[in-house]
């Protein structure tokens, strides 16, 4: 039986609020989420949990990296697409 393929994936994602070059809320983050899996997001306050979820949901624009759905890059699509 082959392992499940990633339905949703974050590839080397980075995000920063504002313009400061060294103030990253998320830096070099990669993760894969297989279809049908349940994933918990845990961590201390201020560690970027909500920001990562907003990035996966395409509610924020990435500073760098890619968000993929079924192997297709979706972070650069327009809101209408």
């Amino acid at each position: 039986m082959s392992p499940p393929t990633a339905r949703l994936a974050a590839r080397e994602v980075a995000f920063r609020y504002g313009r400061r070059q060294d103030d990253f809320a998320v830096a070099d983050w990669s993760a894969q989420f297989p279809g049908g899996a349940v994933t918990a997001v845990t961590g201390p306050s201020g560690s970027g949990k909500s920001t990562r979820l907003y990035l996966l949901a395409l509610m924020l624009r990435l500073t760098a990296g890619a968000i993929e759905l079924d192997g297709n890059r979706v972070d650069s699509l327009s809101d209408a697409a």
Side-chain angles (χ1 to χ4, degrees), residues 5-6 11-12 18 22-23 26 28 32 37 51 59-60 69 73:
T5 59
R11 309 259 187 239
E12 299 178 7
D22 60 347
D23 197 18
V26 175
D28 297 323
Q32 295 187 17
T51 300
M59 295 171 67
L60 293 173
L69 181 62
R73 189 169 178 175

Side-chain angles (χ1 to χ4, degrees), residues 4-71:
T5 59
R7 173 86 203 239
L8 180 64
R11 309 259 187 239
E12 299 178 7
V13 169
F15 177 79
R16 69 173 163 256
Y17 291 102
R19 298 177 192 261
R20 288 184 45 178
Q21 295 297 320
D22 60 347
D23 197 18
F24 282 92
V26 175
D28 297 323
W29 174 57
S30 294
Q32 295 187 17
F33 305 94
V38 176
T39 302
V41 180
T42 63
S45 178
S47 63
K49 300 177 301 292
S50 295
T51 300
R52 291 168 204 261
L53 292 173
Y54 292 145
L55 291 166
L56 288 172
L58 306 177
M59 295 171 67
L60 293 173
R61 295 280 180 192
L62 309 177
T63 301
I67 302 294
E68 297 176 355
L69 181 62
D70 292 333

